[in-house]
Amino acid sequence: MNAPHPAAARTTEARQSLYRDMSPHHLTPLWEVLHALVPPQPASPCVPALWRYQQIRPFLQRAGEVITAEEAVRRVLILENPALRGQSAVTQSLYAGLQLILPGEVAPSHRHTQSALRFIVEGTGAYTSVDGERTTMHPGDFIITPSWTWHDHGNEVDEAVVWLDGLDIPMIRFFDAGFAENGSAKSQAVTRAEGASFARYGYNMAPVRGDAPFGATSPLFSYPYERSREALHQLERSAPLDAWDGYKLRYLNPLTGGTPMPTIQPFLQRLPAGFDGQPGRQTDGAVYSVVEGAGTAYIDGPAGPLRFDVEARDHFVVPSWQTLRLQSATGCVLFSFSDRPVQQALGIHKEERLA
Ligand code: GTQ
């Protein structure tokens, strides 16, 4: 190699000395980092990851042996993105965890700015209370805890109940906008009959008077699997198959037609038996929960192609702008959620359907 030209060496030296001298003044030259600051396309630090239920269920069991729900406040195993260990994040903007509540237990009342969704993975009959109304959990139900509402969870049946928690914790942390407080009572008083919110908003009807009870968040606490599964079932008989998504529906806020939660959009999709999907990518990384059946997710990103063979109760994450292709020989149902509403509000959401 040739020695650097003396003029070039002088320039390099002058630049280095500028950087050194101004660094104590908290100044950094943009031109050294510009390419990484505004990359030509998303370059997520996240990696795809799979949590096989069969592998991780024993750890939930052990968590149930070493701590009570009450002592833990929330007995949850966080699904951490392997590339973001220690950050309690499954993507840069989203949190996911599996929460266990055993017979007789109560997870005490609190409220926080962070919005939560629950997607029931195992067991029937535990409840969550939101602002005085209980909702009973069944596998596949999608349940909402709106921002700043009091909530506690309990189990008065004889089986363990496990659900997926999806929260906007990293997003709220990013904005430094989080508040939280504990309730005075362990579980809040029941002030409304179960099903009161469903009666008002669950039938394509709504009260004639009164404001949305939870602002931008859906007034429906629970979207029972029985009904969303029926919708997919009917679609499979009557609608054209989408070559990328199979039959995919978004959950909605019945008062707005938009997303049920301001920061998170959940989806439910059916891949019919023999489905061999096309590849696509989108800027919203997504967390998936396999509800029924089995299938394969092919994910292609900077780390190279990956293949996840998944079955019911498995969870996986697809980072932003990595290519996803879905297959199912025998048919399956997938629940998923992403930060799409936030990206859409900012006008930056992008989707690319490849073939
Ligand atoms: O159930 O309120 O997984 O506050 C993380 C934080 C669940 C909850 C989580 C929470 C909750």
Side-chain angles (χ1 to χ4, degrees):
M1 230 175 68
N2 297 328
H5 191 275
R10 267 199 307 281
T11 303
T12 303
E13 173 48 34
R15 287 177 188 173
Q16 292 305 326
S17 109
L18 168 64
Y19 303 168
R20 261 194 320 272
D21 293 348
M22 68 184 183
S23 178
H25 298 272
H26 320 298
L27 295 170
T28 291
L30 169 65
W31 57 90
E32 295 288 349
V33 293
L34 183 58
H35 54 288
L37 280 188
V38 282
Q41 57 180 344
S44 176
C46 301
V47 293
L50 166 64
W51 292 267
R52 292 187 197 284
Y53 200 64
Q54 206 196 323
Q55 255 174 17
I56 62 172
R57 183 64 177 83
F59 299 118
L60 277 170
Q61 172 81 26
R62 280 170 61 184
E65 289 159 11
V66 299
I67 193 163
T68 63
E70 190 175 348
E71 193 189 349
V73 182
R74 298 294 183 261
R75 190 203 286 114
V76 179
L77 300 186
I78 303 173
L79 307 183
E80 277 199 323
N81 193 286
L84 304 176
R85 293 308 305 270
Q87 297 183 40
S88 304
V90 68
T91 68
Q92 294 261 78
S93 60
L94 296 170
Y95 161 105
L98 290 172
Q99 181 157 178
L100 167 70
I101 190 151
L102 293 168
E105 288 193 319
V106 168
S109 178
H110 70 185
R111 63 175 176 175
H112 38 70
T113 325
Q114 292 82 358
S115 298
L117 70 81
R118 329 284 173 186
F119 187 74
I120 316 311
V121 170
E122 176 192 327
T124 297
Y127 67 83
T128 183
S129 282
V130 171
D131 273 358
E133 182 179 336
R134 282 189 181 184
T135 294
T136 302
M137 301 175 167
H138 315 86
D141 291 355
F142 156 58
I143 292 173
I144 300 176
T145 309
S147 176
W148 207 240
T149 52
W150 292 108
H151 55 286
D152 50 77
H153 319 302
N155 183 340
E156 294 171 351
V157 294
D158 60 5
E159 58 179 322
V161 175
V162 176
W163 64 83
L164 171 68
D165 278 326
L167 287 90
D168 51 14
I169 287 173
M171 226 184 290
I172 302 303
R173 182 169 60 199
F174 173 81
F175 289 117
D176 290 331
F179 294 86
E181 60 186 29
N182 291 320
S184 46
K186 205 163 77 170
S187 43
Q188 53 183 307
V190 175
T191 55
R192 281 177 302 168
E194 172 155 9
S197 76
F198 201 87
R200 284 165 178 73
Y201 303 100
Y203 294 91
N204 291 317
M205 302 178 89
V208 176
R209 272 170 256 283
D211 292 331
F214 303 109
T217 303
S218 171
L220 269 178
F221 298 130
S222 178
Y223 295 67
Y225 188 56
E226 204 183 8
R227 293 176 63 104
S228 22
R229 180 73 183 84
E230 172 65 13
L232 288 181
H233 197 72
Q234 294 296 341
L235 267 187
E236 194 172 348
R237 269 149 194 74
S238 58
L241 178 72
D242 183 273
W244 286 264
D245 293 335
Y247 304 100
K248 187 171 185 176
L249 294 173
R250 62 183 168 90
Y251 293 89
L252 57 76
N253 176 341
L255 292 181
T256 64
T259 178
M261 307 164 68
T263 48
I264 300 177
Q265 172 69 64
F267 304 89
L268 193 71
Q269 81 194 97
R270 162 94 181 137
L271 308 181
F275 184 73
D276 184 13
Q278 299 291 327
R281 57 184 177 176
Q282 47 207 29
T283 51
D284 49 330
V287 178
Y288 285 79
S289 179
V290 183
V291 195
E292 289 182 49
T296 303
Y298 295 91
I299 304 168
D300 200 359
L306 278 171
R307 171 188 176 145
F308 294 158
D309 291 304
V310 297
E311 58 180 34
R313 297 173 173 167
D314 289 349
H315 294 83
F316 61 98
V317 59
V318 183
S320 163
W321 214 237
Q322 300 205 8
T323 302
L324 171 68
R325 185 161 63 86
L326 294 168
Q327 266 180 2
S328 178
T330 52
C332 65
V333 177
L334 304 173
F335 172 84
S336 60
F337 67 92
S338 80
D339 62 10
R340 187 174 301 185
V342 180
Q343 297 200 25
Q344 286 177 329
L346 301 178
I348 57 167
H349 182 255
K350 189 172 162 118
E351 182 179 30
E352 204 170 71
R353 297 191 136 192
L354 311 160

